[in-house]
Amino acid sequence: MGGLGLFLYGMNLMGEGLQKSAGTRLKAIIKLLTSNIFMGVLVGTGVTAVIQSSSATTVMVVGFVNAGIMTLKQAIGVIMGANIGTTVTAQLVSFNLNGMAPVALGIGIVLYLFGKNPKVKHISEILIGFGMLFTGMEFMKDAVEPLRDYKGFTDMLVSFGQYPILGLLLGFGITAIVQSSSASMGMLVALAAEGLIPLNAALPILYGQNIGTCVTSLLSSIGANKNAKRAAVIHLIFNVLGTVLFLIFLNKPVVSLVTGMDPGNVARQIANTHTLFNIISVLILLPFNNIIIKMAMRIIPDKAEDEEDIKTVKYIDDKMLEIPSIALINTIKETYRMGNKAKESLDCSISAIIEKSDEYLGKVFVKEETVNELQKIILNYLLKLSKTAALDEDSREAVDNLFNTVNDIERIGDHAKNIAELSQIMIDGDLEFSEQGKNQLEEIYNYVISAYSSALEAFKNDDINLAYKVFRIEEKVDMMEKTCRASHMYRLNNNLCSIDNGVVFLDIITALERVSDHAVNIAKRVIAQKKHFVE
């Protein structure tokens, strides 16, 4: 248990160090996912090799599909690639690198204690993780060594070669419990290294491990939408089909190949079989990707009575915190979506004023509730993201700015609600603005909504030119506010409007001007962040 604990922690630490070293380059890697299925396989392989976990990659894929930013066609390629990427760990632990473990630990700890540069710290984490991984492996080998003299145990392991279904179930069970095929593969390699298990008995366990690793992605799809569930099922179908192919047709030729490559080393034979299993499965099943997708859609069918899943959030998901740079991108998308909800609320509030409509009034309050809910969810998510160790300095500044932007958008939603409440006063009191008052209200609103829309687009696209445009519009809003107040005083002095009308009119103008101020706040952060990155 101690050896397994060290192995898992070392693998996790090494993966985190590699991920931090990759930094924001992972953003560019994920963008390649939109290319085609072959690029998806390459990206899935690369990302899994970096984060050292096919389960983490497939969980993220489920999250991406759930957020609607990846199609099933793209997902299947990444899932297949993840299965190849996970063989890196098995290959690594199958070599006898125990002598390097103390050296890696020693160098890693010295670098960690005395290194000031973040890049040096990341390298030290990779080395410490590497050292712990192999120390844990050595612990497991030492722990199972006495079992060589226990005939009951060795006979049980050998029997898995005669009854492959039992081996499959054992491999599936261990991996489902440990939640890591790399960890269960490490245990298998430890047994093989001590001569406790022959290759023919190890292979059914290995195939079972490939199916067991699907449990993590299946669990992660609980509560997700249909396509996310289908992505998890695709992972299961792919591994089951690969296992069937190998058990029935490819077992003997692969055994002959790996034993010829490393005649006396069962640990290397197991690692090579694991790699060949995944590469050959991808090569054979990749051309049938559309059939696999259709099978998943049959298992998780569309129901005629089902409507589109309506959820408060669309893009953010805790599963994506595994890669903070991607989580940040999706939080920006969710914040932009929240901004559009606030804009819709603002539109409805002005329509309620102009048309004195109860229907628009009701929409404002519904949308305002959504904006408030989104604020809570996004801020909680940002708090989790800010605590992620793998977040680089630039991303941390972006997270800090997002906290403020989310609050600005929520305040805009509040102003929309305030305007809606003023429209309720107008409807209840049967108040009416003069024609000039209505025209001025529409004019200042057009400036305000233009400033806010430009701020949102600048925020979404990191567009400094649009951000500066907000300042120019804000000047017009300020001038228009003064004009509206002066015109109102003229109408009031000449008995062209009532005091009640005037109070409502001035409150609306004030609320709109404050919306414009919040748009400027959003634009300022876009400019400040852009300048920081340039520097």
Side-chain angles (χ1 to χ4, degrees), residues 32-259:
L32 292 172
L33 294 173
T34 55
S35 308
N36 54 56
I37 191 168
F38 302 104
M39 189 57 73
V41 172
L42 292 175
V43 171
T45 303
V47 169
T48 306
V50 167
I51 63 175
Q52 296 282 297
S53 171
S54 62
S55 296
T57 304
T58 50
V59 163
M60 280 188 288
V61 167
V62 169
F64 291 143
V65 173
N66 189 48
I69 56 176
M70 188 187 288
T71 64
L72 287 176
K73 185 86 171 177
Q74 293 163 342
I76 191 170
V78 184
I79 288 166
M80 288 180 175
N83 277 28
I84 297 173
T86 196
T87 63
V88 171
T89 312
Q91 286 290 345
L92 204 60
V93 298
S94 68
F95 289 106
N96 188 8
L97 302 176
N98 298 327
M100 292 177 66
V103 177
L105 273 170
I107 295 170
I109 289 167
V110 168
L111 288 175
Y112 190 84
L113 289 174
F114 300 105
K116 303 298 179 186
N117 191 310
K119 288 183 180 177
V120 174
K121 291 271 188 185
H122 300 160
I123 293 167
S124 71
E125 286 179 10
I126 296 168
L127 290 169
I128 293 169
F130 178 87
M132 282 188 172
L133 183 109
F134 279 96
T135 303
M137 194 72 200
E138 191 62 24
F139 274 32
M140 285 196 283
K141 286 178 186 176
D142 291 344
V144 298
E145 186 181 1
L147 293 171
R148 273 191 292 192
D149 301 325
Y150 182 50
K151 195 170 183 300
F153 184 77
T154 53
D155 287 347
M156 181 190 73
L157 290 179
V158 170
S159 70
F160 293 136
Q162 299 166 345
Y163 306 102
I165 298 299
L166 289 176
L168 269 174
L169 291 173
L170 179 68
F172 173 85
I174 291 171
T175 309
I177 292 166
V178 179
Q179 297 274 297
S180 169
S181 60
S182 295
S184 54
M185 182 60 67
M187 294 157 122
L188 195 61
V189 169
L191 290 168
E194 294 302 319
L196 286 164
I197 186 167
L199 182 63
N200 70 324
L203 292 187
I205 300 172
L206 185 153
Y207 301 147
Q209 288 169 348
N210 277 278
I211 299 173
T213 195
C214 301
V215 170
T216 312
S217 56
L218 287 167
L219 288 173
S220 76
S221 71
I222 294 170
N225 63 29
K226 283 188 182 65
N227 270 347
K229 288 186 173 75
R230 287 166 183 160
V233 169
I234 283 170
H235 188 209
L236 178 64
I237 292 170
F238 174 73
N239 282 1
V240 168
L241 289 176
T243 298
V244 170
L245 278 170
F246 267 73
L247 275 178
I248 298 173
F249 303 109
L250 299 172
N251 205 48
K252 286 185 179 178
V254 168
V255 167
S256 301
L257 181 61
V258 297
T259 49

Side-chain angles (χ1 to χ4, degrees), residues 241-395:
L241 289 176
T243 298
V244 170
L245 278 170
F246 267 73
L247 275 178
I248 298 173
F249 303 109
L250 299 172
N251 205 48
K252 286 185 179 178
V254 168
V255 167
S256 301
L257 181 61
V258 297
T259 49
M261 289 165 65
D262 287 285
N265 191 335
V266 180
R268 291 290 305 129
Q269 290 169 13
I270 289 171
N272 288 332
T273 304
H274 188 220
T275 302
L276 287 170
F277 172 89
N278 287 294
I279 292 173
I280 293 169
S281 294
V282 169
L283 291 173
I284 293 173
L285 296 174
L286 190 61
F288 302 99
N289 65 85
N290 287 327
I291 294 170
I292 294 172
I293 290 171
K294 284 177 183 175
M295 288 171 70
M297 292 178 80
R298 282 278 183 91
I299 295 168
I300 310 288
D302 279 318
K303 294 179 182 176
E305 65 271 16
D306 282 353
E307 295 181 3
E308 184 67 29
D309 290 329
I310 298 170
K311 292 189 175 182
T312 305
V313 291
K314 184 177 180 182
Y315 296 109
I316 60 174
D317 193 320
D318 281 356
K319 305 173 191 78
M320 295 181 201
L321 291 168
E322 293 284 344
I323 297 186
S325 55
I326 306 305
L328 180 58
I329 290 170
N330 290 337
T331 312
I332 290 168
K333 287 183 178 180
E334 196 69 67
T335 305
Y336 176 74
R337 180 170 166 265
M338 176 190 174
N340 279 321
K341 295 281 183 191
K343 188 165 79 169
E344 289 167 12
S345 182
L346 202 57
D347 276 330
C348 289
S349 68
I350 291 297
S351 296
I353 286 281
I354 302 298
E355 298 179 26
K356 294 175 70 176
S357 164
D358 282 321
E359 183 185 347
Y360 282 116
L361 197 63
K363 286 180 180 178
V364 174
F365 294 118
V366 170
K367 290 178 188 296
E368 166 61 8
E369 280 298 316
T370 304
V371 169
N372 287 342
E373 191 62 29
L374 277 167
Q375 183 206 24
K376 290 175 191 171
I377 294 168
I378 295 172
L379 291 182
N380 282 331
Y381 192 76
L382 284 170
L383 194 61
K384 292 177 189 174
L385 186 56
S386 67
K387 292 177 180 176
T388 307
L391 209 62
D392 59 52
E393 189 181 336
D394 288 339
S395 295

Side-chain angles (χ1 to χ4, degrees), residues 452-501:
Y452 180 43
S453 298
S454 297
L456 278 182
E457 291 305 315
F459 162 74
K460 180 191 175 188
N461 301 313
D462 205 20
D463 189 329
I464 197 166
N465 293 321
L466 265 179
Y468 278 120
K469 182 184 173 183
V470 177
F471 288 88
R472 294 193 294 272
I473 301 170
E474 162 69 2
E475 289 174 6
K476 293 177 182 177
V477 171
D478 289 342
M479 289 170 60
M480 191 67 204
E481 187 205 13
K482 290 174 184 175
T483 302
C484 288
R485 288 184 183 278
S487 298
H488 164 67
M489 291 309 297
Y490 173 82
R491 289 192 298 272
L492 198 61
N493 290 332
N494 289 277
N495 297 317
L496 296 174
C497 73
S498 68
I499 291 174
D500 288 342
N501 281 5

